[in-house]
Amino acid sequence: MGAVMPEVVLDLSNLRHGGALQAASALLADLSMVRPLPEWLHHCEVRVSSQVLDHLTVPQDSIPGVLVARALSKSQIVAFPSRHDRRPTLRFRLFGPSYDMREARVEVMGFASGRLLFPEQLASGSYRVESVRWKAEKRFKLWAARHADYYVVETSSVARKLQTALSLDPARIHVVHNEPHAVFRLPKVSVCRWTPGDPLVLIYPARAYRHKNHEIIPEVIRRSAAAHGIRANVHVTLRTEEWHTLKALQINGVTNLGELDPRGLAHAYSRAHAVFFPSLLEASSATPLEARVQGLPLLGSDRSFVRESAGSASVFFEPTDVDSAVSALATFSHTYPDLYALGAADSATYRYELESYSRTRSLLRLIGSLLDSQ
């Protein structure tokens, strides 16, 4: 007999680095706890990369009724064989665009390429978004993105931009809000309270991608000390090779914690006074949500992708302007008691909201409704 034809394919096989791995890990962890299982999930094929397997926080066999691919080697993208007489009804790719051929009758794509939608927000510093190479790459990626039947995004601002960029019917775009990894829902430890005059510990969990804007950090530290006497120490979470490459960060006031899994990151948050988030662009980021659930004040970019997900204990700044970031730190210093109280209250409210919200269950309901409509 041939292989059983899956009705649905959950495709995580293109995810190999960055925050996408954490999102994939969270999705698979949630799938292991879903009860009752939708009928289609019993016959669903889950495709993963070896890197996704490495980031699992639950045993592979704890994902009931779902086929989970096994890694063949550290460098390969792996999947169960798919030799079927007919196509699956639906394929959901957690993050796209997808560059392979259509496989299912209905293709659903999680869209997370902010650079395609908000290039103006990168038009600063060394980011050459108008290069000939980038223009060609952008045309190709937009062409590939148009092949999906439905799109899943995390914020309304991304939904509006995607609708305009691809001239889409709004009914084809579904907003499913992000949420922190399950480990952040565990009973939190007390927030590390800052005393003005003491060193201020900020954490910036991010890989060394250019849009993460790490280069602003050293000058913000220096000017904050000179202008306001703030002794900031920024904790970053870079891989060893990234840390060695970003030599400008290797100064007093910057500490590299190394790459962290979700549990390690939760612990690192507990030792910080606030979250620093100077990213130029995101279409998918859990950092503002993690700050919110932990009760930590956020010093973040004045961008729609931050404002839409940040809590009330936030101070915003223009991420391309060092003086703006320094001014935000000064505001933080002057209003810290209020921000601390707001963070604690907002954390309690958000944790209550999360008790009745699950991104994974929202995705499963969306997939189920699309299946029912076929």
Side-chain angles (χ1 to χ4, degrees):
M1 293 181 61
V4 176
M5 225 298 295
E7 185 177 19
V8 175
V9 173
L10 298 181
D11 196 347
L12 317 178
S13 63
N14 64 323
L15 307 181
R16 286 172 274 182
H17 49 73
L21 290 179
Q22 183 172 320
S25 170
L27 175 64
L28 294 177
D30 286 348
L31 285 178
S32 73
M33 297 181 287
V34 169
R35 299 292 186 277
L37 290 177
E39 182 59 31
W40 60 263
L41 198 53
H42 288 281
H43 311 291
C44 175
E45 178 176 292
V46 177
R47 298 178 185 166
V48 299
S49 65
S50 57
Q51 290 87 346
V52 169
L53 286 182
D54 289 343
H55 280 72
L56 278 181
T57 57
V58 296
Q60 294 181 34
D61 59 5
S62 71
I63 305 175
V66 178
L67 298 175
V68 180
R70 308 247 173 207
L72 302 177
S73 75
K74 292 293 184 182
S75 61
Q76 288 177 295
I77 298 299
V78 298
F80 280 110
S82 293
R83 297 177 181 176
H84 308 298
D85 295 332
R86 60 189 179 89
R87 294 186 296 169
T89 303
L90 182 147
R91 179 174 67 158
F92 171 64
R93 173 154 279 177
L94 185 59
F95 292 121
S98 173
Y99 305 114
D100 53 5
M101 301 293 290
R102 286 183 63 95
E103 178 182 358
R105 283 181 282 161
V106 177
E107 294 281 345
V108 185
M109 183 180 73
F111 191 90
S113 182
R115 191 180 174 194
L116 291 178
L117 302 182
F118 302 94
E120 70 280 358
Q121 295 185 5
L122 294 173
S124 63
S126 60
Y127 228 124
R128 300 295 188 125
V129 297
E130 296 302 324
S131 68
V132 173
R133 178 179 176 181
W134 165 239
K135 287 181 179 179
E137 182 181 346
K138 179 180 178 180
R139 284 195 297 269
F140 174 72
K141 288 187 173 183
L142 288 174
W143 171 83
R146 287 189 175 92
H147 290 175
D149 299 297
Y150 297 95
Y151 302 82
V152 176
V153 298
E154 294 182 2
T155 64
S156 298
S157 58
V158 172
R160 291 190 294 269
K161 275 286 191 176
L162 182 62
Q163 178 188 347
T164 301
L166 301 185
S167 300
L168 296 174
D169 180 343
R172 294 173 60 189
I173 306 174
H174 298 269
V175 178
V176 178
H177 295 291
N178 201 352
E179 63 178 333
H181 192 283
V183 302
F184 292 98
R185 301 192 187 193
L186 299 174
K188 67 172 185 173
V189 298
S190 299
V191 173
C192 187
R193 188 155 190 169
W194 179 59
T195 300
D198 288 349
L200 172 63
V201 178
L202 307 173
I203 183 169
Y204 183 28
R207 293 286 308 278
Y209 306 130
R210 285 186 293 171
H211 69 273
K212 296 296 186 180
N213 197 27
H214 283 89
E215 65 261 24
I216 198 175
I217 293 175
E219 196 60 27
V220 170
I221 291 174
R222 283 190 283 264
R223 293 195 199 178
S224 296
H228 304 288
I230 298 173
R231 294 184 291 156
N233 188 299
V234 181
H235 290 183
V236 296
T237 59
L238 302 174
R239 293 179 174 178
T240 301
E241 62 272 19
E242 294 172 334
W243 175 248
H244 290 322
T245 299
L246 294 177
K247 297 187 182 301
L249 294 183
Q250 297 173 26
I251 62 170
N252 290 333
V254 180
T255 302
N256 185 31
L257 305 179
E259 188 176 20
L260 301 175
D261 62 16
R263 292 185 184 278
L265 182 56
H267 178 68
Y269 277 131
S270 72
R271 303 179 68 180
H273 300 116
V275 175
F276 187 60
F277 193 59
S279 178
L280 297 172
L281 178 64
E282 303 288 340
S284 170
S285 177
T287 300
L289 303 178
E290 291 164 356
R292 189 178 177 193
V293 77
Q294 293 292 101
L296 284 171
L298 174 77
L299 293 106
S301 298
D302 192 3
R303 296 282 194 265
S304 60
F305 64 84
V306 181
R307 285 190 172 273
E308 200 167 330
S309 56
S312 55
S314 301
V315 181
F316 300 103
F317 60 90
E318 169 51 49
T320 62
D321 184 351
V322 172
D323 289 335
S324 178
V326 171
S327 177
L329 269 176
T331 298
F332 171 89
S333 175
H334 297 146
T335 62
Y336 177 73
D338 293 335
L339 290 171
Y340 180 86
L342 281 172
D346 195 39
S347 174
T349 300
Y350 187 42
R351 283 173 175 266
Y352 178 77
E353 292 172 356
L354 288 173
E355 290 179 5
S356 59
Y357 177 75
S358 164
R359 180 172 186 258
T360 296
R361 288 189 180 276
S362 297
L363 288 172
L364 295 182
R365 284 194 294 269
L366 172 60
I367 292 172
S369 67
L370 293 175
L371 288 172
D372 291 342
S373 67
Q374 299 307 304

